[in-house]
Amino acid sequence: QVQVMESGGGLVQAGGSLRLSCTASGRTFSGRNMAWYRQAPGKQRELVAAITSGGSTNYADSVKGRFTISRDNAKNTVYLQMNSLKPEDTAAYYCNANWALFGREYVYWGQGTQVTVSS
């Protein structure tokens, strides 16, 4: 069983910055793909940013140029640096660890951390 835990959310004014952190348990963190999703009230969960085990990154168009995903395999941690925050970035942010092994996909979610951006 893999445990995923997010931290770093909070209340920030528009234009400000926050850094979210996500740790995933286990000794094979470096082999896992990691991703950040978010869900605003009344909306579907959406992909924000992802980073593969090899370090390739992918971003939603709405956050390109403002958010940066990175990972530190020595600390079993993935980060989401969020700059130039907008009120529309307000959501619960969830971290996801995923990988495939012998044809089976594994996906583990954290409990989420709230980000609120005031105008």
Side-chain angles (χ1 to χ4, degrees):
Q1 188 75 4
V2 174
Q3 293 185 332
V4 178
M5 183 175 296
E6 307 93 339
S7 63
L11 174 64
V12 63
Q13 288 188 333
S17 299
L18 279 176
R19 188 176 80 157
L20 305 183
S21 299
C22 169
T23 59
S25 64
R27 293 177 291 179
T28 58
F29 178 84
S30 61
R32 295 171 184 158
N33 304 316
M34 302 295 296
W36 286 97
Y37 285 73
R38 68 186 180 187
Q39 187 168 19
K43 295 188 177 181
Q44 289 189 332
R45 191 172 294 191
E46 62 175 359
L47 177 67
V48 176
I51 185 167
T52 68
S53 58
S56 297
T57 58
N58 183 44
Y59 297 91
D61 288 342
S62 59
V63 306
K64 283 181 181 177
R66 300 189 299 122
F67 291 11
T68 302
I69 189 171
S70 61
R71 65 190 298 158
D72 185 338
N73 291 333
K75 295 182 179 180
N76 279 24
T77 301
V78 63
Y79 303 98
L80 185 68
Q81 178 66 44
M82 305 186 295
N83 299 328
S84 302
L85 282 161
K86 304 175 181 180
E88 50 263 44
D89 294 318
T90 295
Y93 283 70
Y94 297 89
C95 182
N96 163 310
N98 63 89
W99 67 97
L101 183 64
F102 300 125
R104 178 179 173 181
E105 290 190 1
Y106 296 82
V107 181
Y108 291 89
W109 292 90
Q111 293 298 307
T113 186
Q114 179 67 35
V115 172
T116 302
V117 184
S118 63
S119 57

